[in-house]
Amino acid sequence: MLGRWTRVGVFLFLLTPATSVAQSARESNDTAWKLLESGEVSRASRLFAEALNRDPNQPALLLGAGVAAHMQGRTKDATAALRRALELDPRFTPAAILLGQIAYTEGRVA
């Protein structure tokens, strides 16, 4: 049987990787958005993709990937990322707005 402090240590050890992944995804998200703002769309797209490989269920990362894909003219990829973001968080307004804009641009207004 594990002692109290050993259990706490094991718990903290198990918690650390998840925290590191979340922090890493957050940092990647911030950096990728800055790259988008500075016009480095390809680099931002790669960074969003790498972050999504580590943490695939982050609506903010999916939004970023969708924006980057849209900026590169990859409508199908943009739409898929934005739809996935909305599956994970149906109230994620920025993803819904961009998805609507893409649909409108393509003439899908019904």
Side-chain angles (χ1 to χ4, degrees):
M1 188 161 182
L2 297 173
R4 179 174 181 249
W5 293 111
T6 305
R7 286 191 304 255
V8 170
V10 169
F11 175 75
L12 291 174
F13 174 76
L14 293 173
L15 183 63
T16 301
T19 303
S20 296
V21 168
Q23 181 65 25
S24 178
R26 192 173 316 119
E27 289 171 357
S28 294
N29 184 54
D30 293 345
T31 301
W33 279 104
K34 288 176 185 170
L35 289 169
L36 279 179
E37 290 172 6
S38 68
E40 297 184 63
V41 181
S42 293
R43 285 184 60 202
S45 182
R46 284 191 302 273
L47 196 53
F48 282 123
E50 291 169 8
L52 282 166
N53 281 334
R54 291 189 305 271
D55 196 359
N57 295 321
Q58 281 295 328
L61 292 173
L62 289 159
L63 172 64
V67 169
H70 180 59
M71 291 175 76
Q72 293 174 313
R74 297 183 296 118
T75 304
K76 192 180 278 189
D77 294 335
T79 300
L82 296 168
R83 284 185 177 156
R84 178 67 182 138
L86 289 169
E87 286 174 10
L88 294 167
D89 183 357
R91 294 178 181 226
F92 194 33
T93 305
I97 290 171
L98 182 54
L99 191 58
Q101 288 175 342
I102 291 170
Y104 182 80
T105 300
E106 291 186 330
R108 294 183 284 131
V109 294

